[in-house]
Amino acid sequence: MSRKRSGGFARAKNRLRIVNVGLLVIYSLLAALLIFAIFKYNILAFRYLNIIVVAIMLAVAVLAILLIWKNKARVFTAVLLSLSLLAGAGAMYAVKEVLDLSTGVNSTSSFSEYEMSIVVAADSDIKDITKITNVLAPTKNDAANITALTDELAKSKNINVTVDSASSYLGAYKSLIAGETKAIVLNSVFEDTLRSEDPDYASKIKKLYSFKMTKKVEIANQKQNANADVFNIYVSGIDTYGSISSVSRSDVNIIMTVNRKTKRVLLTTTPRDSYVPIADGGEDQPDKLTHAGIYGVDASVHTLETLYGIDIPYYVRLNFTSFLKLIDLLGGVDVYNEQEFTSLHGNYHFAIGEVHLNSEQALGFVRERYSLNGGDGDRGKNQEKVIAAIIKKLTSTDALKNYNNIISGLQDSVQTNMSLETMMNLINTQLETGGSYAVTSQALTGNGTMGLPSHAMPDANLYMMEIDQNSLAAMKAAIQAVMEGK
């Protein structure tokens, strides 16, 4: 009996040793993946925490190898490797969540989407694209996209249409509604400009044919060092119901100047109505800043780079409606309101002083401009306040309580070309030094006027803000001071 027991015990020890070898192999693979991710993406790169974590993982592996080789403490080895695997699996899941977030917000950063359509009046008898022989379109301002649409129509439907020239998409739309033409081309990028002139335009037209297109986003950030201590980020706030990658006018235009060494962030708001030369598709012609967005986020970046004389390697586009929903996950935000007003959105009343905002209240707070003394300028200041409050909450340890939901929300509402390494460096700086970034803000000012020519909407009489050059000089100096650590 004793021999059988001895033999059985030996077999059990051998089986446990084999199990331990298997656990060690799995643990080694998992540890290798974690170590790779930690150093590649700068995870935990503060106070030598990444080195400490890697040292612990290697120490566990070395200890397990020695115990298995000497065939000692088999149960302890199994428990050690099992617990280490559980911890490693949890850490790997957290890393995967972060990588998924980065992939999500970066996935469309290199291109923008828009749609070219052939449109008739809503009450038109024309029901089929085959009945269209000629269209009206602004061939001078959007020739390449119009040609791409007609070429695709000829290729996919074997339909050839002639194009008559219009002054703009707004001019073509007015001709359609007046019954002067039967069909027009419409670039979805310009639908916001139609809405600003006629809020009910969508109910007055119907699309017979649509062709989705993409535009490459060209921002020269390839040489930007992910470990740079100072850089600028363009924050574009849009309010579109489509994909975050859809081309759209930008209602919020903020330059975020970040200095990691001094832990300072300066938010510089340029009002949407600022009359500035628009880059790229705007052909450097003066127009409202918000119109830069219809040529792509890169046009907005290049416009602001020229205006302030700085490089902006990164951009972040926020769908404000969904982005502000994150406020509820953060437990609300607190801002200081400088003037009493009631918002049109939600009819919320905001008293002077410290106010606590949930997501719906925040949306009313950042959208309102008609009830404010300074109009769009004051709205820009309120937008800065809410963004600064969100940044403060997101960089606090309290945000970790809902990080899964926050990550999900960011994926749905944010688009950026910022690398994960750069994002992690910002987080590491905050965690290493403790506290939060000191966030200050400034807003460009000027004088409102009517009647200035618009390159994008030459048929419209639009409100513009002529920039105060003294204000512009002060904005430039403040940006440079933060970048230089002054």
Side-chain angles (χ1 to χ4, degrees):
M1 290 291 292
S2 60
R3 289 181 180 179
K4 289 182 179 180
R5 289 177 183 174
S6 177
F9 185 66
R11 286 192 295 271
K13 289 194 297 183
N14 288 333
R15 283 196 295 267
L16 188 53
R17 188 181 187 190
I18 293 171
V19 169
N20 285 340
V21 170
L23 290 173
L24 177 61
V25 170
I26 298 172
Y27 172 76
S28 298
L29 292 173
L30 182 60
L33 288 173
L34 276 172
I35 292 171
F36 172 79
I38 285 172
F39 287 108
K40 178 174 175 56
Y41 301 111
N42 296 330
I43 298 172
L44 302 177
F46 64 96
R47 299 181 184 176
Y48 303 104
L49 191 57
N50 54 346
I51 303 297
I52 294 171
V53 170
V54 170
I56 291 173
M57 287 191 290
L58 292 177
V60 169
V62 170
L63 178 61
I65 290 171
L66 289 174
L67 291 175
I68 292 172
W69 179 52
K70 293 185 176 182
N71 200 21
K72 292 183 177 180
R74 289 170 293 276
V75 174
F76 171 78
T77 304
V79 172
L80 174 65
L81 288 172
S82 296
L83 292 176
S84 299
L85 276 172
L86 287 174
M92 201 67 216
Y93 176 78
V95 170
K96 179 182 178 299
E97 289 285 291
V98 173
L99 290 175
D100 286 346
L101 168 63
S102 176
T103 300
V105 299
N106 289 153
S107 61
T108 60
S109 64
S110 62
F111 66 90
S112 298
E113 299 175 308
Y114 58 102
E115 185 178 76
M116 298 294 295
S117 304
I118 291 181
V119 171
V120 297
D123 58 358
S124 173
D125 294 332
I126 302 175
K127 308 293 183 183
D128 194 331
I129 187 63
T130 60
K131 305 299 182 182
I132 300 296
T133 57
N134 69 292
V135 294
L136 188 63
T139 53
K140 182 180 179 180
N141 294 336
D142 203 22
N145 288 324
I146 294 166
T147 299
L149 171 65
T150 55
D151 288 348
E152 179 63 23
L153 188 59
K155 178 182 177 181
S156 62
K157 299 290 185 179
N158 198 28
I159 297 173
N160 295 301
V161 296
T162 58
V163 181
D164 299 325
S165 183
S167 58
S168 66
Y169 282 107
L170 178 60
Y173 169 74
K174 289 180 176 178
S175 295
L176 179 69
I177 298 304
E180 298 168 354
T181 187
K182 293 183 177 180
I184 65 171
V185 172
L186 180 59
N187 184 334
S188 64
V189 172
F190 289 84
E191 290 193 52
D192 277 346
T193 64
L194 299 187
R195 187 180 293 109
S196 65
E197 287 290 304
D198 182 1
D200 299 323
Y201 88 95
S203 64
K204 299 177 181 179
I205 61 174
K206 60 182 177 182
K207 297 179 180 180
L208 296 182
Y209 178 82
S210 294
F211 173 50
K212 290 189 176 181
M213 301 177 65
T214 59
K215 175 186 178 295
K216 184 179 180 181
V217 173
E218 298 179 348
I219 296 177
N221 72 333
Q222 289 83 359
K223 296 181 180 180
Q224 182 70 25
N225 183 0
N227 295 311
D229 289 322
V230 181
F231 50 87
N232 294 297
I233 307 168
Y234 168 55
V235 180
S236 170
I238 63 174
D239 200 3
T240 176
Y241 294 99
S243 166
I244 184 66
S245 61
S246 298
V247 177
S248 173
R249 293 189 306 175
S250 181
D251 288 332
V252 178
N253 299 276
I254 294 175
I255 297 171
M256 182 184 296
T257 304
V258 179
N259 189 318
R260 291 175 57 219
K261 280 190 174 181
T262 61
K263 289 200 70 179
R264 286 190 62 193
V265 172
L266 174 64
L267 303 178
T268 301
T269 290
T270 309
R272 66 192 297 277
D273 295 324
S274 299
Y275 196 59
V276 296
I278 305 299
D280 303 342
E283 300 178 352
D284 295 320
Q285 297 300 306
D287 206 336
K288 292 164 71 91
L289 174 59
T290 187
H291 288 167
I294 65 181
Y295 306 111
V297 65
D298 41 352
S300 296
V301 168
H302 297 151
T303 297
L304 291 172
E305 284 182 325
T306 300
L307 181 65
Y308 290 103
I310 56 176
D311 291 327
I312 306 176
Y314 303 118
Y315 78 85
V316 178
R317 292 180 84 224
L318 309 175
N319 185 327
F320 246 74
T321 302
S322 55
F323 178 72
L324 292 178
K325 292 178 182 177
L326 291 172
I327 290 175
D328 291 334
L329 296 174
L330 295 169
V333 295
D334 298 301
V335 300
Y336 186 84
N337 182 36
E338 296 175 355
Q339 58 180 295
E340 184 177 4
F341 70 94
T342 299
S343 66
L344 293 178
H345 174 81
N347 197 35
Y348 297 112
H349 180 76
F350 300 104
I352 295 176
E354 198 80 15
V355 293
H356 183 79
L357 305 174
N358 61 27
S359 60
E360 279 300 307
Q361 292 168 332
L363 195 57
F365 191 78
V366 301
R367 277 182 169 176
E368 185 58 38
R369 60 170 169 163
Y370 297 108
S371 301
L372 302 176
N373 297 331
D376 192 56
D378 284 347
R379 177 171 70 166
K381 293 178 182 177
N382 285 344
Q383 291 164 348
E384 285 180 342
K385 291 174 183 177
V386 171
I387 290 176
I390 292 174
I391 292 172
K392 184 176 181 181
K393 277 292 188 76
L394 284 175
T395 56
S396 69
T397 54
D398 288 342
L400 295 175
K401 297 176 182 177
N402 283 314
Y403 89 96
N404 273 333
N405 292 327
I406 290 172
I407 284 175
S408 176
L410 287 172
Q411 285 178 321
D412 295 336
S413 59
V414 176
Q415 177 191 33
T416 183
N417 67 334
M418 186 181 296
S419 68
L420 177 58
E421 293 91 329
T422 301
M423 295 184 219
M424 291 306 305
N425 281 338
L426 286 171
I427 296 171
N428 289 333
T429 299
Q430 194 276 331
L431 293 173
E432 183 170 12
T433 58
S436 300
Y437 281 84
V439 182
T440 55
S441 62
Q442 60 177 356
L444 188 64
T445 60
N447 300 309
T449 186
M450 302 289 290
L452 293 174
S454 167
H455 181 70
M457 297 178 65
D459 305 305
N461 185 29
L462 303 175
Y463 173 84
M464 308 284 193
M465 188 191 85
E466 288 188 294
I467 293 173
D468 182 324
Q469 293 303 311
N470 290 329
S471 174
L472 177 60
M475 301 298 103
K476 289 181 177 180
I479 292 173
Q480 290 300 323
V482 171
M483 295 182 70
E484 294 170 9
K486 296 179 179 178

mmCIF file of all heavy atoms in Angstrom, residues 47-48 50 62 104 154 157 181 197 218 260 320 378 382 423 427-428 480:
data_model
loop_
_atom_site.group_PDB
_atom_site.id
_atom_site.type_symbol
_atom_site.label_atom_id
_atom_site.label_comp_id
_atom_site.label_asym_id
_atom_site.label_seq_id
_atom_site.Cartn_x
_atom_site.Cartn_y
_atom_site.Cartn_z
ATOM 1 N N ARG A 47 7.665 58.329 -12.129
ATOM 2 C CA ARG A 47 8.238 57.868 -10.860
ATOM 3 C C ARG A 47 8.802 56.450 -10.964
ATOM 4 O O ARG A 47 8.731 55.662 -10.020
ATOM 5 C CB ARG A 47 7.192 57.938 -9.746
ATOM 6 C CG ARG A 47 6.675 59.338 -9.473
ATOM 7 C CD ARG A 47 5.660 59.354 -8.339
ATOM 8 N NE ARG A 47 5.111 60.697 -8.153
ATOM 9 C CZ ARG A 47 4.151 60.999 -7.289
ATOM 10 N NH1 ARG A 47 3.638 60.053 -6.513
ATOM 11 N NH2 ARG A 47 3.696 62.223 -7.184
ATOM 12 N N TYR A 48 9.313 56.102 -12.122
ATOM 13 C CA TYR A 48 9.907 54.788 -12.388
ATOM 14 C C TYR A 48 8.923 53.643 -12.160
ATOM 15 O O TYR A 48 9.331 52.484 -11.981
ATOM 16 C CB TYR A 48 11.157 54.569 -11.522
ATOM 17 C CG TYR A 48 12.210 55.623 -11.700
ATOM 18 C CD1 TYR A 48 12.393 56.615 -10.738
ATOM 19 C CD2 TYR A 48 13.007 55.643 -12.848
ATOM 20 C CE1 TYR A 48 13.357 57.604 -10.912
ATOM 21 C CE2 TYR A 48 13.973 56.621 -13.022
ATOM 22 C CZ TYR A 48 14.145 57.594 -12.062
ATOM 23 O OH TYR A 48 15.085 58.575 -12.246
ATOM 24 N N ASN A 50 6.903 52.235 -14.262
ATOM 25 C CA ASN A 50 6.989 51.233 -15.324
ATOM 26 C C ASN A 50 8.163 50.285 -15.092
ATOM 27 O O ASN A 50 8.051 49.069 -15.315
ATOM 28 C CB ASN A 50 7.103 51.900 -16.696
ATOM 29 C CG ASN A 50 8.236 52.899 -16.793
ATOM 30 O OD1 ASN A 50 8.810 53.314 -15.787
ATOM 31 N ND2 ASN A 50 8.572 53.295 -18.008
ATOM 32 N N VAL A 62 11.563 34.701 -12.893
ATOM 33 C CA VAL A 62 12.835 34.092 -12.477
ATOM 34 C C VAL A 62 12.623 33.176 -11.277
ATOM 35 O O VAL A 62 13.160 32.053 -11.234
ATOM 36 C CB VAL A 62 13.863 35.198 -12.130
ATOM 37 C CG1 VAL A 62 15.104 34.589 -11.463
ATOM 38 C CG2 VAL A 62 14.254 35.961 -13.384
ATOM 39 N N GLY A 104 -10.023 53.866 -31.740
ATOM 40 C CA GLY A 104 -11.309 54.442 -32.076
ATOM 41 C C GLY A 104 -11.229 55.909 -32.443
ATOM 42 O O GLY A 104 -11.772 56.342 -33.455
ATOM 43 N N ALA A 154 -21.966 58.775 -64.476
ATOM 44 C CA ALA A 154 -21.808 58.193 -65.806
ATOM 45 C C ALA A 154 -21.324 56.752 -65.725
ATOM 46 O O ALA A 154 -21.768 55.882 -66.489
ATOM 47 C CB ALA A 154 -20.834 59.036 -66.616
ATOM 48 N N LYS A 157 -24.342 54.617 -63.471
ATOM 49 C CA LYS A 157 -25.717 54.654 -63.990
ATOM 50 C C LYS A 157 -25.781 54.861 -65.497
ATOM 51 O O LYS A 157 -26.879 54.835 -66.083
ATOM 52 C CB LYS A 157 -26.496 55.788 -63.302
ATOM 53 C CG LYS A 157 -26.633 55.653 -61.791
ATOM 54 C CD LYS A 157 -27.562 54.512 -61.421
ATOM 55 C CE LYS A 157 -27.784 54.479 -59.910
ATOM 56 N NZ LYS A 157 -28.710 53.392 -59.495
ATOM 57 N N THR A 181 -34.602 76.386 -61.990
ATOM 58 C CA THR A 181 -33.893 75.211 -62.470
ATOM 59 C C THR A 181 -34.547 73.976 -61.871
ATOM 60 O O THR A 181 -35.192 74.056 -60.813
ATOM 61 C CB THR A 181 -32.395 75.269 -62.082
ATOM 62 O OG1 THR A 181 -31.690 74.193 -62.700
ATOM 63 C CG2 THR A 181 -32.224 75.166 -60.574
ATOM 64 N N GLU A 197 -29.200 79.998 -43.681
ATOM 65 C CA GLU A 197 -30.053 80.920 -44.425
ATOM 66 C C GLU A 197 -31.517 80.499 -44.394
ATOM 67 O O GLU A 197 -32.414 81.337 -44.386
ATOM 68 C CB GLU A 197 -29.579 80.995 -45.888
ATOM 69 C CG GLU A 197 -28.284 81.750 -46.080
ATOM 70 C CD GLU A 197 -28.446 83.250 -45.852
ATOM 71 O OE1 GLU A 197 -29.301 83.866 -46.519
ATOM 72 O OE2 GLU A 197 -27.724 83.792 -45.001
ATOM 73 N N GLU A 218 -4.578 66.495 -44.183
ATOM 74 C CA GLU A 218 -3.135 66.689 -44.300
ATOM 75 C C GLU A 218 -2.658 67.717 -43.274
ATOM 76 O O GLU A 218 -2.794 68.921 -43.470
ATOM 77 C CB GLU A 218 -2.769 67.132 -45.717
ATOM 78 C CG GLU A 218 -3.126 66.082 -46.776
ATOM 79 C CD GLU A 218 -2.778 66.518 -48.180
ATOM 80 O OE1 GLU A 218 -2.478 67.717 -48.357
ATOM 81 O OE2 GLU A 218 -2.811 65.686 -49.100
ATOM 82 N N ARG A 260 3.992 70.773 -20.584
ATOM 83 C CA ARG A 260 4.023 69.691 -19.605
ATOM 84 C C ARG A 260 4.970 69.994 -18.448
ATOM 85 O O ARG A 260 4.744 69.538 -17.326
ATOM 86 C CB ARG A 260 4.441 68.388 -20.284
ATOM 87 C CG ARG A 260 3.415 67.828 -21.259
ATOM 88 C CD ARG A 260 3.958 66.596 -21.969
ATOM 89 N NE ARG A 260 4.353 65.569 -21.025
ATOM 90 C CZ ARG A 260 5.421 64.796 -21.158
ATOM 91 N NH1 ARG A 260 6.224 64.941 -22.189
ATOM 92 N NH2 ARG A 260 5.692 63.868 -20.266
ATOM 93 N N PHE A 320 -20.104 68.059 -29.925
ATOM 94 C CA PHE A 320 -20.413 68.643 -28.621
ATOM 95 C C PHE A 320 -21.610 67.983 -27.947
ATOM 96 O O PHE A 320 -21.621 67.783 -26.737
ATOM 97 C CB PHE A 320 -20.649 70.152 -28.766
ATOM 98 C CG PHE A 320 -19.603 70.963 -28.066
ATOM 99 C CD1 PHE A 320 -18.330 71.070 -28.594
ATOM 100 C CD2 PHE A 320 -19.872 71.577 -26.869
ATOM 101 C CE1 PHE A 320 -17.359 71.792 -27.947
ATOM 102 C CE2 PHE A 320 -18.901 72.305 -26.202
ATOM 103 C CZ PHE A 320 -17.646 72.411 -26.742
ATOM 104 N N ASP A 378 -18.777 86.020 -25.891
ATOM 105 C CA ASP A 378 -19.061 85.493 -24.555
ATOM 106 C C ASP A 378 -19.394 84.012 -24.600
ATOM 107 O O ASP A 378 -19.097 83.269 -23.652
ATOM 108 C CB ASP A 378 -20.218 86.274 -23.922
ATOM 109 C CG ASP A 378 -19.777 87.649 -23.426
ATOM 110 O OD1 ASP A 378 -18.556 87.871 -23.346
ATOM 111 O OD2 ASP A 378 -20.649 88.489 -23.142
ATOM 112 N N ASN A 382 -17.671 80.916 -22.431
ATOM 113 C CA ASN A 382 -18.398 79.873 -21.698
ATOM 114 C C ASN A 382 -17.966 78.483 -22.156
ATOM 115 O O ASN A 382 -17.883 77.544 -21.354
ATOM 116 C CB ASN A 382 -19.900 80.052 -21.879
ATOM 117 C CG ASN A 382 -20.447 81.214 -21.065
ATOM 118 O OD1 ASN A 382 -19.788 81.708 -20.156
ATOM 119 N ND2 ASN A 382 -21.643 81.658 -21.403
ATOM 120 N N MET A 423 -0.856 61.051 -25.611
ATOM 121 C CA MET A 423 -1.915 61.076 -24.604
ATOM 122 C C MET A 423 -1.403 60.534 -23.271
ATOM 123 O O MET A 423 -1.670 61.104 -22.200
ATOM 124 C CB MET A 423 -3.109 60.233 -25.067
ATOM 125 C CG MET A 423 -3.835 60.742 -26.288
ATOM 126 S SD MET A 423 -5.290 59.703 -26.628
ATOM 127 C CE MET A 423 -5.251 59.626 -28.413
ATOM 128 N N ILE A 427 -1.026 62.180 -19.344
ATOM 129 C CA ILE A 427 -1.528 61.527 -18.130
ATOM 130 C C ILE A 427 -0.398 61.269 -17.141
ATOM 131 O O ILE A 427 -0.542 61.496 -15.936
ATOM 132 C CB ILE A 427 -2.236 60.204 -18.500
ATOM 133 C CG1 ILE A 427 -3.475 60.491 -19.361
ATOM 134 C CG2 ILE A 427 -2.624 59.423 -17.254
ATOM 135 C CD1 ILE A 427 -4.114 59.265 -19.953
ATOM 136 N N ASN A 428 0.748 60.812 -17.654
ATOM 137 C CA ASN A 428 1.893 60.529 -16.785
ATOM 138 C C ASN A 428 2.368 61.777 -16.061
ATOM 139 O O ASN A 428 2.731 61.727 -14.875
ATOM 140 C CB ASN A 428 3.040 59.935 -17.603
ATOM 141 C CG ASN A 428 2.741 58.519 -18.074
ATOM 142 O OD1 ASN A 428 1.975 57.800 -17.434
ATOM 143 N ND2 ASN A 428 3.319 58.129 -19.190
ATOM 144 N N GLN A 480 2.924 82.451 -26.778
ATOM 145 C CA GLN A 480 4.376 82.293 -26.739
ATOM 146 C C GLN A 480 4.896 82.225 -25.312
ATOM 147 O O GLN A 480 5.821 81.470 -25.009
ATOM 148 C CB GLN A 480 5.047 83.458 -27.488
ATOM 149 C CG GLN A 480 4.855 83.417 -28.992
ATOM 150 C CD GLN A 480 5.408 82.156 -29.631
ATOM 151 O OE1 GLN A 480 6.452 81.639 -29.227
ATOM 152 N NE2 GLN A 480 4.691 81.635 -30.611
#
